[in-house]
Amino acid sequence: MNLFTGTVMDNIRYGRLNATDEECIEAARLVNADGFIRMLPKGYQTVLEGDGSGLSQGQRQLISIARAAVADPPALILDEATSSIDTRTEEVVQAGMDNLMKGRTVFVIAHRLSTVRNSDVIMVLDHGNIIERGSHDDLIAQRGEYYQLYTGAVELE
């Protein structure tokens, strides 16, 4: 997630430079960022300094997800998208990511397993090899490595 000095609108629009203000706002609504953006001093015209350090980690994450939403790609790769936020904020970010993922292929790389729980297919890798594959419910029922990781029986390295 890379934010830059410029308005919130500019940071979202960076996903598709010819996006209209309305498209950027719709992308922010889709990923649950619109509410907090409207609470900023100048809303979408609030200027972010540097990497957006005046925002919380979750807010920065939501703006980045809105940028991806306005780009509207057919496929996405999300790498540890919720790893640096607290679990309460994760719920808001996860709901936004779930909305973004609808209708597209998404590869999610995550150690925080709640991030992948709603995925159609989860693949558990061990040293680059797929050792389990299935939905969350399938993998829980198998009581294998995913089950152990999900229930906290073993720790991720």
Side-chain angles (χ1 to χ4, degrees):
M1 147 195 56
N2 293 344
L3 300 183
F4 55 85
T5 299
T7 66
V8 171
M9 184 70 74
D10 292 339
N11 271 274
I12 295 171
R13 184 174 284 120
Y14 191 67
R16 184 165 46 90
L17 297 177
N18 65 349
T20 65
D21 287 357
E22 293 75 25
E23 289 170 326
C24 292
I25 291 167
E26 186 53 39
R29 282 189 188 120
L30 176 73
V31 303
N32 297 330
D34 182 67
F36 93 80
I37 291 170
R38 291 188 183 279
M39 301 294 284
L40 295 173
K42 293 184 179 176
Y44 284 87
Q45 297 310 312
T46 300
V47 174
L48 304 178
E49 297 294 330
D51 63 354
S53 57
L55 301 175
S56 73
Q57 184 70 27
Q59 290 170 328
R60 291 193 302 257
Q61 199 78 326
L62 286 171
I63 290 174
S64 294
I65 295 168
R67 178 187 294 163
V70 82
D72 196 24
L76 281 169
I77 298 173
L78 302 174
D79 188 0
E80 298 292 352
T82 61
S83 65
S84 55
I85 54 177
D86 63 85
T87 51
R88 195 174 128 252
T89 304
E90 179 193 4
E91 292 177 16
V92 175
V93 173
Q94 183 64 49
M97 287 183 1
D98 287 348
N99 290 338
L100 176 61
M101 289 189 246
K102 287 181 183 145
R104 69 184 87 239
T105 300
V106 183
F107 295 91
V108 180
I109 302 160
H111 282 86
R112 192 180 280 185
L113 298 182
S114 54
T115 305
V116 299
R117 183 182 174 137
N118 296 330
S119 300
D120 295 328
V121 178
I122 299 167
M123 291 183 224
V124 181
L125 282 82
D126 183 21
H127 297 91
N129 297 311
I130 299 171
I131 60 170
E132 293 179 341
R133 175 187 170 122
S135 70
H136 171 79
D137 291 339
D138 294 340
L139 294 174
I140 290 295
Q142 288 176 24
R143 292 176 137 344
E145 189 75 18
Y146 180 86
Y147 172 84
Q148 291 180 34
L149 293 168
Y150 193 82
T151 59
V154 294
E155 291 293 316
L156 290 170
E157 296 174 6

